[in-house]
Amino acid sequence: MTTSPAFVSDPTITVERMSKWFGQKVAVSDLSCSFGTGLTGLLGPNGAGKTTLLRVIAGLLQPSDGSVTLLGENPRRKPAVYAAVALVPEEDAVYGFLTARQLVRYAAQLSGTSTDRVDQAIDDVDLGDAADRPISGFSKGMRQRAKVAAALVSDPTVLILDEPLNGTDPIQRANLIKTFRRLAEERTVIVSSHVLAEVERMADRVLAIVDGKLAAAGNISAIRQAMSDIPYRVRVETDDARGLAGPLMTVDHVSSVAVDGGTLHIETNDLSALGRSIPELARSTDARVTAFEPEDESLESVFRYLVRRR
C-alpha cells in the first residue's frame, strides 16, 4: 500500500535513494520516488537536479549511489528495457539539414521500430503542414514539436520531456499539453518545466526538487496543506471591508487582515475554519461578501514557498 505521495502503486519507474555527483558537486542527493501511468510534473529552480534525474532515468547517466528500476528491471543489468523509454532533451539536438519527416523516420530506424508510425507521430504534434521543410528554418517551438514527434515514433511506455514547452506560442503550448495528457492515459509521462501555470493545467501529480532533494510531492492542494508552517492567504471581496475587518481580527485562527478598498487580504492558519467564520461575521455586520478565494494555492505560490525554504 502506497503511504507517501512520492510513490505510486504499480510503478513503471522506481528511484531508490539515488544520488548523482560530478566530482565535488552533488546534483541529486538520496532521492526516492516512483512514477506510474499518468502525467507527473517535475519542478525545481535552475540547478535543482531535474535534468540529472531525468538523464539517470533515461540511462544517459549512471547513478553514483542508489538505484533506478525500469519496468521491474535494473537497466544496468538489462539495458534492453531502455527500448521502452524515450527522452526529449531541452537542448536542440536535431540535424538542421533534415526535414521533420526525415528526423522522425531516422529516429524510428535508430530505435529499430517500424517507420509506419512516422505520419502518426507528426500528426500528434500538429506538424503535418511543415513536415517536409528543413528543420533549420523552424522556430524554436516547431523544433520542440519535431523532437517530441521523434520520441513518439517508437511508441514508448515511458516518455520523458525536459522543458518541452520552451519556445512554443500559446496555441502550440495548448496543443502540446492536450497531446501530453492524452498520451499519459496509456503510458508514463514525465514533464520537467518552469512554466508553472502550464504544469498546473496538465499534471495531476507534481514532484518538486530543490537542491537535489525531493522537497514536496502530490497534487497542488495536498502539497499546500502539508505546509502547515505557512499561513494561508485569502482574498475576500465585500461591500463593507472595514466593518468586516474588525471582527475578523478577534478570531483566533486569523493572524492578519489588510484592507484594500473593497478587498480584504487575510492570513489564517486554518482555511476551513475561516470559511465557516466569514458567513457568520458577514451576517453579524450586515456585510455582503461577493468573493472568497485562496490567493496561494496556485502552483506558482507553492513553488515560491518551497524555494524560499532553501
Side-chain angles (χ1 to χ4, degrees):
M1 181 176 179
T2 301
T3 59
S4 167
F7 296 90
V8 298
S9 57
D10 195 20
T12 51
I13 303 168
T14 302
V15 180
E16 294 184 353
R17 307 201 66 175
M18 193 274 288
S19 296
K20 179 62 182 179
W21 53 80
F22 303 92
Q24 298 298 313
K25 176 179 172 55
V26 178
V28 177
S29 177
D30 198 29
L31 193 149
S32 295
C33 61
S34 65
F35 302 87
T37 301
L39 197 155
T40 299
L42 189 63
L43 299 177
N46 290 335
K50 305 187 303 297
T51 296
T52 298
L53 172 61
L54 296 182
R55 289 180 175 177
V56 169
I57 292 173
L60 299 181
L61 295 174
Q62 182 174 354
S64 301
D65 197 12
S67 65
V68 172
T69 302
L70 282 173
L71 303 176
E73 301 285 350
N74 181 341
R76 308 306 301 183
R77 297 176 181 171
K78 192 174 181 180
V81 299
Y82 280 127
V85 181
L87 168 68
V88 178
E90 181 179 6
E91 300 84 1
D92 278 338
V94 295
Y95 296 109
F97 59 86
L98 294 179
T99 66
R101 193 182 308 280
Q102 288 171 333
L103 174 70
V104 177
R105 182 177 295 275
Y106 182 42
Q109 293 169 341
L110 285 177
S111 64
T113 57
S114 170
T115 58
D116 293 343
R117 285 181 45 83
V118 170
D119 290 342
Q120 181 61 54
I122 290 171
D123 289 341
D124 281 342
V125 298
D126 194 26
L127 205 58
D129 292 342
D132 296 308
R133 288 166 42 193
I135 295 173
S136 59
F138 281 11
S139 67
K140 183 166 185 179
M142 292 174 68
R143 290 198 300 273
Q144 290 289 84
R145 287 188 285 155
K147 287 157 52 182
V148 173
L152 291 177
V153 75
S154 63
D155 194 22
T157 302
V158 176
L159 178 61
I160 301 172
L161 304 150
D162 195 359
E163 299 283 359
L165 302 176
N166 276 0
T168 56
D169 63 35
I171 294 176
Q172 293 170 349
R173 192 172 296 159
N175 288 336
L176 280 176
I177 289 173
K178 183 178 179 180
T179 297
F180 298 158
R181 288 188 64 89
R182 177 176 56 77
L183 292 170
E185 294 175 0
E186 300 177 349
R187 71 195 78 206
T188 298
V189 178
I190 307 173
V191 178
S192 166
S193 179
H194 68 278
V195 186
L196 303 182
E198 274 69 21
V199 173
E200 191 165 20
R201 286 168 53 195
M202 67 175 143
D204 298 322
R205 178 174 180 256
V206 172
L207 298 182
I209 297 179
V210 178
D211 288 337
K213 298 180 180 180
L214 187 65
N219 61 45
I220 306 306
S221 295
I223 292 174
R224 180 63 184 92
Q225 290 170 14
M227 299 162 62
S228 57
D229 59 321
I230 299 172
Y232 285 91
R233 299 185 72 248
V234 178
R235 179 178 65 84
V236 172
E237 301 283 350
T238 176
D239 61 354
D240 186 7
R242 294 192 178 278
L244 189 57
L248 273 170
M249 287 301 299
T250 66
V251 177
D252 289 341
H253 53 75
V254 172
S255 54
S256 73
V257 178
V259 179
D260 180 13
T263 303
L264 295 175
H265 299 281
I266 306 166
E267 289 195 354
T268 177
N269 57 16
D270 192 331
L271 187 61
S272 297
L274 179 65
R276 294 190 296 269
S277 299
I278 290 291
E280 298 173 0
L281 294 175
R283 283 194 296 269
S284 67
T285 58
D286 292 326
R288 181 170 176 266
V289 174
T290 56
F292 178 95
E293 297 179 354
E295 294 186 298
D296 61 352
E297 285 199 330
S298 70
L299 182 55
E300 183 173 359
S301 62
V302 169
F303 184 66
R304 187 169 58 248
Y305 287 141
L306 292 171
V307 173
R308 192 182 302 162
R309 289 176 165 183
R310 298 171 69 184

